[in-house]
Amino acid sequence: MDLRNLISTPESIVAAFVLLATLWGTSFVAIEAGLHYFPPLLFAGVRYAVAGAVVLGFAAVVSDRTLPRGRDEWLGVAVAGAFVIAAYHGLLYVAELHITGAVAAVIVSLAPVLTATFAALLLPNERLGPLEIGGFALGILGVIVIADPMQAGLGSSALLGAVLAFVGAVAFSLGAVLLRPLRTDLPIAALQGWAMVSGAGMLFVGAALLGESPGAIVWNTTSIVSLSYLTLLSGVVAFLIYFALLDEVGPAQLHLVGYAEPVVAAVGSWVLLGSLIDGEAIIGFVAILVGFVVLERHEIAAYVGIEDALGAR
């Protein structure tokens, strides 16, 4: 059994997109809540150590093999573990010490712009022309509007959080693009499980280097619920969906899900934490969205049947 076989029809792809956006959008709120009780890198490390063990157990039951073999498979595990798990989540968790989950979700929504840019630079048959460069610039402008360095001050906590979230989005997007040519017939659950375990190990090393202590963890209802949700739903279920969709539609189209996440995160922050997203974040999000539309205009046009109107690349 391979999850890629379950996400193949248009209906199943749409359903998977919606579920993934919901699980990842609410994860920003769960992280924000849990950071009151966990050091950030330990929080992320525990989440993915447990999730990785669960996924590897699942892979052993449903897959024909669980152990990577060959250079490309081990390299794929290393790329996913280092970029998608350790770097992205480590930076995101530290960022949410300084900014709200909703604002972090808006900044991370730059990932589709970054993914399209990295794909054009690194993958065959892609091109980065003047319009693509303009789309990328719009996305970066959106992040600058959100961070507002002139008003916040170059040394402010909010600006630091915005920069960390941005670098995390860079790591996630680069990992998604680098992983694509490395995919083999290794079952998706096995890939995910090994990536989570290796990424968790990197997060624990980072936590030790920063002096984070397990004794600083506060175990109560909120921390347990937050960790459980992030581990089992936003971790295990969501990443299985993510990697299955990555094979089915590719990195640029998959990252469209990033534009639903801030909406889910904003609603969740308002309902659960009483936080409201401000006007600058909304303006920045619109700029990021327009940048992505410019970068992926031909793919979007092909989906709605107007590719001929845009002409050849």
Side-chain angles (χ1 to χ4, degrees):
M1 177 182 176
D2 194 324
L3 288 180
R4 284 170 285 188
N5 297 327
L6 301 179
I7 302 178
S8 56
T9 66
E11 295 79 9
S12 64
I13 290 173
V14 170
F17 264 86
V18 171
L19 181 56
L20 183 60
T22 301
L23 293 174
W24 275 357
T26 50
S27 73
F28 290 93
V29 184
I31 292 168
E32 183 179 351
L35 282 170
H36 293 289
Y37 309 103
F38 290 91
L41 298 189
L42 275 177
F43 191 10
V46 171
R47 171 189 179 183
Y48 281 108
V50 176
V54 172
V55 172
L56 284 176
F58 173 79
V61 173
V62 304
S63 305
D64 55 355
R65 66 183 177 98
T66 58
L67 188 65
R69 57 187 178 219
R71 173 184 173 276
D72 282 355
E73 291 188 353
W74 282 111
L75 186 57
V77 167
V79 166
F83 288 91
V84 178
I85 302 297
Y88 167 61
H89 288 91
L91 290 163
L92 175 63
Y93 278 55
V94 176
E96 287 202 38
L97 293 173
H98 306 281
I99 55 178
T100 67
V103 171
V106 172
I107 295 173
V108 169
S109 70
L110 181 65
V113 176
L114 294 169
T115 299
T117 303
F118 286 136
L121 292 172
L122 300 175
L123 296 181
N125 303 318
E126 298 283 349
R127 187 176 65 89
L128 196 64
L131 278 177
E132 285 76 16
I133 294 172
F136 174 74
L138 272 173
I140 298 299
L141 177 62
V143 173
I144 293 174
V145 169
I146 296 166
D148 195 5
M150 298 303 294
Q151 180 177 340
L154 293 179
S156 72
S157 176
L159 179 59
L160 174 61
V163 170
L164 290 172
F166 168 74
V167 178
V170 170
F172 188 97
S173 302
L174 183 58
V177 173
L178 292 176
L179 184 62
R180 192 177 183 187
L182 296 173
R183 288 295 293 120
T184 64
D185 60 353
L186 177 67
I188 206 72
L191 170 64
Q192 181 198 6
W194 286 111
M196 286 181 168
V197 170
S198 63
M202 298 175 204
L203 287 164
F204 286 140
V205 170
L209 292 175
L210 292 179
E212 294 184 1
S213 170
I217 299 174
V218 177
W219 295 105
N220 57 29
T221 301
T222 301
S223 62
I224 293 171
V225 169
S226 173
L227 179 61
S228 299
Y229 182 84
L230 288 167
T231 299
L232 299 177
L233 295 178
S234 295
V236 174
V237 175
F239 269 87
L240 286 172
I241 295 171
Y242 169 78
F243 281 116
L245 281 171
L246 183 63
D247 272 354
E248 189 64 32
V249 303
Q253 285 71 37
L254 174 54
H255 279 295
L256 283 170
V257 74
Y259 294 111
E261 290 175 28
V263 178
V264 175
V267 172
S269 291
W270 173 61
V271 171
L272 299 175
L273 304 176
S275 302
L276 290 175
I277 196 167
D278 61 25
E280 287 183 345
I282 295 173
I283 293 171
F285 174 71
V286 171
I288 292 169
L289 176 60
V290 172
F292 180 77
V293 170
V294 172
L295 276 162
E296 293 295 327
R297 63 196 182 280
H298 290 282
E299 286 77 5
I300 294 170
Y303 288 151
V304 297
I306 58 171
E307 171 70 13
D308 291 341
L310 293 179
R313 287 181 184 248

